[in-house]
Amino acid sequence: MTEIFDRSRRLVLRDDADESAVEELAALIGWPRRIDIPADPEEWTPRQISWYVGPAIALTYCEDLLSGFFYVMITGSDEKVIRSTVELAESTLNTWRLPELVRSADPEADPDTYAAEVLRLGLGAPVEFDEEFFRSVRRALRSDQPEVRKNAVWAITYEPWPAYAPLLEELLDEEQDEEVADIARSVLEEMAAT
């Protein structure tokens, strides 16, 4: 019988946390390092490390190449164990919580800051559809700043909920920036294919 694996959302680390903080958490729970993949930006391979004692649950640290943010993710076959490990990781690593990610995507911030916050919002989005995250990304897709719209399209790629498709179609109807339109078109095609 094949194990069914679930995963947590990506728990985005704050600026003061990195690989060493996750290593300390793994040591605390007694999980040895099992996988260590160095970054290879040319091959679009992120830095990735996994700790686990068996196949039922694993803690993975990753350095996202697109956003530049670091995150951890919990994968496993037991939802309760995943949930409790997520709670431990959130408190020990002081990750961005869901309400904080939504609040931090502030359209009143300068465009570069807002664009980065939107990308972080997408990276840390829940696996299942969430109305607040959806509204925040929709607002960013309607920004008058091309960099913000571009990052909103990229933010969708982390958790490409079907509800985003009409928003991308709407964006394509009006988008003047060729780069943003090309990315949106590619993301829509990828969503349709999956």
Side-chain angles (χ1 to χ4, degrees), residues 64-135:
D64 186 60
L65 293 173
L66 179 62
S67 68
F69 294 114
F70 305 158
Y71 68 88
V72 296
M73 193 164 53
I74 318 301
T75 54
S77 57
D78 184 329
E79 267 187 66
K80 262 171 59 174
V81 176
I82 291 174
R83 231 183 352 265
S84 64
T85 308
V86 164
E87 288 170 10
L88 177 65
E90 281 182 329
S91 61
T92 305
L93 298 172
N94 191 24
T95 62
W96 284 86
R97 305 296 175 103
L98 293 174
E100 294 171 321
L101 287 167
V102 172
R103 278 194 309 271
S104 74
D106 180 8
E108 300 301 315
D110 71 81
D112 289 341
T113 301
Y114 183 34
E117 291 165 346
V118 167
L119 209 47
R120 183 178 59 217
L121 174 82
L123 180 65
V127 176
E128 301 298 326
F129 178 82
D130 181 282
E131 185 64 41
E132 282 188 277
F133 276 76
F134 178 79
R135 278 198 311 263

Side-chain angles (χ1 to χ4, degrees), residues 28-43:
L28 176 73
I29 56 181
W31 294 0
R33 183 186 290 223
R34 302 286 188 172
I35 297 171
D36 193 336
I37 301 169
D40 185 348
E42 288 180 21
E43 293 295 319

